[in-house]
Amino acid sequence: MENAHFRHKKGQKSQMRSVVVLSGGVGGARLAYGLAAQLPPESLTIVVNTGDDFIHWGLHVSPDVDTMMYTLAGLSDEAQGWGLQGETFSSLAMVGRYGGDTWFRLGDRDLATHLMRSEALAKGDSLTRVTGRLCDALGVKARVLPMSDDVLSTMIDTKGRGTLSFQDWFVRYRADLPVERVWFKGDARPTMQVIHALKNADLVIIAPSNPYVSIDPILSLSGVQSVMREIDAPVVAVSPIVDGRAIKGPLAAMIRDIAKTDASAQAIALHYGPLIRAMVIERGDEVRAADQNELAVLATSTVMKRLDDRIALAGRVLAFAESLK
Ligand code: FO1
């Protein structure tokens, strides 16, 4: 299946030969969709957070990888932000009847993804290889790389309920418990494909994803930040904060709880510090460098409500990045 957007934009390709995006779920997937419409598939690599991964009903669920894959394939449930369009939940109802866990709503067709992935992993396949095959089957042409083939679990120290795994905190407790600290359990390495992509990048984009729970797991892997500092390619962060609010999810409250400051593009710049050379922020927001270095800034419309917004924002990010060279 070829997405119509990825066909009719052929005249508008960017000069960038190798763009690497670091991403979590929804926000990053929307920008990646736009980039996939602007770049030839071989020029786009998306490194996806797997800190949210967990075992549920005995299956390996990889929420951010699946959101990326479904979004690029044009199959995602846009209103909900996760899962597949037109999904049904008969298996979930049956699990409930057996007295099983139903707080995490796995859909019937989504279940097929977790079955195929879990079977392949049990046979000794890597998450990178199985993700590649699932993407191929869904017609996703850009390269989607899980950040690691090892297990790294995002953990949340909460006020009130102690330490919770990410999905417990995010879904079971609806991200309602104040966060004291985010940390990562496990000794995971980035894959060699991730390091190779970063080393050869002309541009690294940090997607408008939650820095604490979507991007930091990737940055915590040994070697990732040092490669990002060594390369000549600009590192550009797209702000997930618009006018003091997070476009989706608990980020604004997390910034207040963890950084003890109001949510703003500036809080994002401070978080990434010298790792980024440039930032794309919402028009009307303000940002300055977190240190003595220069921070190039593009202030534009960053909200991606419609498919065309994604493509337009991706085009502006690429043009901005080209102007930095
Ligand atoms: N998020 C929810 O808020 N409730 C759910 O029941 C839920 C189920 C679910 C199933 C598959 C999947 O890939 C994602 C799912 N998510 C659900 C979203 C997901 O847990 C989070 O959005 C991400 O981990 C955060 O990026």
Side-chain angles (χ1 to χ4, degrees), residues 23-33 67-68 81 207-209 247-248 304:
S23 179
V26 190
R30 289 184 177 165
L31 182 62
Y33 180 100
T67 297
M68 182 60 68
S209 300
I247 296 184
K248 199 171 186 300
M304 294 176 280

Side-chain angles (χ1 to χ4, degrees), residues 25 52 63-64 66 82 103-106 110 166-167 170-171:
D52 298 9
D64 284 357
D66 292 345
W82 50 268
W103 58 272
F104 195 80
R105 294 171 50 77
L106 289 184
D110 188 31
F166 178 80
Q167 297 297 346
F170 190 84
V171 177

Side-chain angles (χ1 to χ4, degrees), residues 232-256:
D232 276 337
V235 178
V236 180
V238 181
S239 175
I241 294 289
V242 169
D243 191 21
R245 281 185 292 273
I247 296 184
K248 199 171 186 300
L251 176 58
M254 290 181 87
I255 293 175
R256 282 190 290 275

